[in-house]
Amino acid sequence: MSMQVKSKPTFRTEDEEREFWADHSPLDYFDLSAAKRASLNASVGYKRSGMNPVSELVIIHGTESSGEETKKLLEANVGREILARYRCLYPSFRTPYQFLSPAADRQMLEILNRNHISRACMLGFSGGAQFAHRFTLMHPEIIVLAVCLSAGCWTSPAGKSYGMMVEEGWFDKEPWSGTEVTMALSRKAPHGPRNTKWIIGCGSLDKASRISSAKRFFSEIASGASDYFE
């Protein structure tokens, strides 16, 4: 018997939407039975560039979600049999993990070390994309392919932050006004983008500030990028 999908409410503000998803699971509000299976091939970029394929995928959840919920969504949309071809990790973090807080950075490194992973691909959406691109810039020797989709704020290799959260004044209020977040907004990449491959994307119906900031970040790391798509 299929589960009845609940109607998603209309939100007047970003804060209202964030508070709602803090207490509700997105799995109850999306019709996963109508989802189309997607193809996934993490090694294609490396075959083209002459690098050895990497089958380890680290998938970072969005704000107010978790690794377990992200796993369920991917299994429903991509398929367990496809994901089984890869070694997938679904860590869970606490805000402000999006800005690569010291605790989140240590946690991610510990997870990789515990699983004996020295090179991996990392994928993140929204808040997960914020973590993914910042972690990649700090640890380019580990992340060989970064897929970052619809981030609300980007920090360039030169330590310049921009995007929806900056334009809408999110950093003037909790939980985004703390020292860890403030430091991350101007943190420079110690080695630049180096040889990491990047895929940067944003939905065509997303906010204009999200789309334009994704394109801006892509242009700043384009020398090592694989693709931008909208």
Side-chain angles (χ1 to χ4, degrees):
M1 182 178 177
S2 60
M3 184 180 67
Q4 184 176 0
V5 178
K6 298 178 181 179
S7 297
K8 188 173 69 171
T10 300
F11 305 106
R12 292 172 296 178
T13 65
E14 293 277 350
D15 285 340
E16 200 174 86
E17 182 176 7
R18 186 167 60 251
E19 290 173 5
F20 177 84
W21 292 120
D23 299 319
H24 298 79
S25 171
L27 298 176
D28 297 330
Y29 292 84
F30 295 91
D31 184 6
L32 298 182
S33 65
K36 295 181 179 180
R37 292 286 174 89
S39 61
L40 182 65
N41 190 335
S43 63
V44 63
Y46 307 104
K47 290 178 180 177
R48 290 176 182 170
S49 63
M51 297 173 64
N52 293 326
V54 172
S55 60
E56 287 75 13
L57 297 180
V58 182
I59 301 164
I60 311 298
H61 63 83
T63 303
E64 309 298 356
S65 185
S66 67
E68 186 59 31
E69 287 196 344
T70 300
K71 179 180 179 181
K72 291 178 180 178
L73 285 170
L74 279 178
E75 287 178 346
N77 287 276
V78 177
R80 291 183 180 180
E81 68 277 9
I82 295 178
L83 291 171
R85 303 173 189 172
Y86 306 91
R87 187 182 180 193
C88 299
L89 299 180
Y90 303 88
S92 291
F93 300 99
R94 291 186 177 183
T95 294
Y97 77 95
Q98 301 89 335
F99 294 87
L100 196 63
S101 62
D105 189 31
R106 287 194 301 271
Q107 181 182 344
M108 187 72 259
L109 291 172
E110 288 170 359
I111 290 172
L112 293 170
N113 184 59
R114 187 165 61 247
N115 286 276
H116 307 288
I117 296 174
S118 59
R119 296 169 67 243
C121 305
M122 182 171 283
L123 183 153
F125 174 78
S126 190
Q130 294 203 53
F131 177 95
H133 85 270
R134 294 185 175 100
F135 185 87
T136 300
L137 288 175
M138 291 297 110
H139 305 285
E141 74 284 359
I142 298 174
I143 305 303
V144 293
L145 170 65
V147 182
C148 306
L149 311 175
S150 299
C153 176
W154 301 86
T155 301
S156 72
K160 175 68 175 178
S161 291
Y162 46 83
M164 179 193 74
M165 296 178 72
V166 175
E167 295 177 20
E168 296 183 0
W170 286 41
F171 300 111
D172 297 328
K173 52 191 175 183
E174 292 293 340
W176 314 110
S177 58
T179 303
E180 291 181 342
V181 174
T182 302
M183 292 177 62
L185 294 176
S186 58
R187 184 188 295 134
K188 295 181 180 180
H191 308 293
R194 291 181 62 171
N195 295 323
T196 300
K197 300 300 179 183
W198 296 80
I199 296 177
I200 310 300
C202 192
S204 59
L205 299 181
D206 210 328
K207 287 192 172 185
S209 57
R210 281 182 183 261
I211 296 173
S212 62
S213 60
K215 289 182 176 178
R216 176 176 173 179
F217 182 79
F218 171 79
S219 69
E220 292 179 341
I221 49 89
S223 61
S226 297
D227 198 8
Y228 169 86
F229 66 92
E230 179 183 324

